Amino acid sequence: MAKPADLLLCVSSFSFLVLFQTFLFVFVFVPVANTDDQVAPKPAAIFIFGDSTVDVGTNKLLRNSLSRADFSPNGVDFPYAIPTGRFSNGLNSADQIVFDSVQVVPMGKQVKQFETVRGNITELIGFGGTEFMLSNSLFVISIGSNDLFELVNWYPNITVLEKAEYLVNLKLEYRNHLKDLYNLGARKFGIISVPPIGCCPAARVGPKSNDSSVCVEELNNLALTFLAQTEDFLRTLSSELKGFKYSLGNAYEMTMSILEDPLAFGKKP
């Protein structure tokens, strides 16, 4: 079992982001059969949907939000170690990709918000221009972490069967959101899996933890199960939906690699 000690690498790190972004652009945007005169296309736009893993601090603006990161050790790597509302030691994946923010609201509502944005874009450049732009844009999605946290923290006495049903429903809901985005014009998806959330500080000091120096195995097992389910329905969607392209970044494996061997990723002894 990993012992992250003072590391705050539950949802992001610079090393993880370099690995993921390289993986993402190679498999989503770089042509498979590349020649010397081909230049890898850049996305027309980048749209980010997600939960706390891509929140750059807007949770502080939501009065009734229970998911907050405005306390230490969040932000420990910022100047003066000031927490900014990011669930991270420093910048997170959204910062590294586009330096913008999205409201921490349910994924379904985010899709509805995007539908409004799509309508506004259509008014500006027309239907054809919008369709072309969206089909050449990158849709980055990172969800599931909050849902799994809620499952464990809000339902401590849930049975194994109920837990399995919850994960199936979560998978179906996720799949439907991607299909909704596809129907709105999205074609290229960069999916970030749930990281080892059992290693987050909030988990290691929570009710499921007996030792804050080690990760919560139950949460990590849920993350792995949901990763397998995500891989399954993404393969299905890619065969069902014409033009659907995706890259799945395994945030669990990447983050655990850093936690288990931090020196290899630049952590000073």
Side-chain angles (χ1 to χ4, degrees):
M1 184 179 293
K3 293 188 177 182
D6 62 334
L7 295 178
L8 183 61
L9 294 169
C10 59
V11 296
S12 69
S13 71
F14 180 76
S15 299
F16 156 69
L17 288 167
V18 170
L19 289 170
F20 172 70
Q21 289 174 317
T22 301
F23 177 87
L24 183 68
F25 283 92
V26 165
F27 286 93
V28 177
F29 285 100
V30 177
V32 175
N34 201 7
T35 60
D36 292 339
D37 58 347
Q38 285 182 316
V39 178
K42 294 182 179 179
I46 299 176
F47 299 92
I48 297 181
F49 300 79
D51 53 19
S52 300
T53 54
V54 288
D55 183 4
V56 294
T58 51
N59 60 86
K60 297 191 300 182
L61 305 178
L62 300 177
R63 183 174 302 176
N64 298 321
S65 176
L66 297 179
S67 298
R68 309 186 74 87
D70 52 355
F71 56 88
S72 181
N74 295 290
V76 67
D77 288 337
F78 279 121
Y80 308 107
I82 297 176
T84 62
R86 292 167 173 81
F87 294 82
S88 173
N89 54 302
L91 299 178
N92 65 18
S93 51
D95 291 302
Q96 298 289 342
I97 295 172
V98 292
F99 291 97
D100 202 350
S101 64
V102 294
Q103 187 82 346
V104 181
V105 294
M107 181 64 183
K109 188 172 182 180
Q110 292 182 42
V111 174
K112 288 291 184 182
Q113 291 173 340
F114 172 72
E115 186 175 4
T116 300
V117 171
R118 180 181 182 274
N120 294 338
I121 296 173
T122 302
E123 290 182 4
L124 293 173
I125 63 176
F127 178 80
T130 300
E131 188 176 51
F132 179 81
M133 188 200 78
L134 295 181
S135 66
N136 288 282
S137 295
L138 173 62
F139 289 75
V140 179
I141 303 175
S142 175
I143 65 173
S145 299
N146 286 1
D147 300 278
L148 299 183
F149 263 124
E150 292 174 1
L151 173 64
V152 171
N153 293 334
W154 292 7
Y155 307 100
N157 299 318
I158 191 171
T159 66
V160 174
L161 179 60
E162 290 171 334
K163 191 180 297 184
E165 291 176 349
Y166 182 95
L167 289 173
V168 169
N169 290 332
L170 184 61
K171 178 187 74 171
L172 293 176
E173 188 174 356
Y174 196 174
R175 184 187 67 180
N176 289 337
H177 289 324
L178 293 184
K179 292 180 71 173
D180 289 340
L181 286 172
Y182 176 89
N183 291 332
L184 289 170
R187 292 296 182 271
K188 297 180 173 71
F189 297 85
I191 309 298
I192 306 175
S193 76
V194 176
I197 52 178
C199 299
C200 292
R204 290 188 281 118
V205 299
K208 288 289 184 176
S209 175
N210 296 318
D211 184 351
S212 62
S213 69
V214 298
C215 302
V216 178
E217 188 173 0
E218 180 181 1
L219 281 168
N220 282 354
N221 287 339
L222 286 172
L224 285 172
T225 300
F226 191 59
L227 170 61
Q229 293 179 333
T230 302
E231 290 175 325
D232 180 60
F233 78 72
L234 284 174
R235 282 193 296 267
T236 301
L237 286 179
S238 67
S239 64
E240 293 178 347
L241 304 178
K242 182 180 180 180
F244 183 98
K245 297 181 180 180
Y246 74 92
S247 173
L248 175 60
N250 189 339
Y252 189 97
E253 182 177 344
M254 295 178 187
T255 307
M256 288 304 295
S257 296
I258 300 170
L259 292 176
E260 292 170 351
D261 189 8
L263 295 178
F265 293 87
K267 175 67 177 178
K268 296 181 180 180

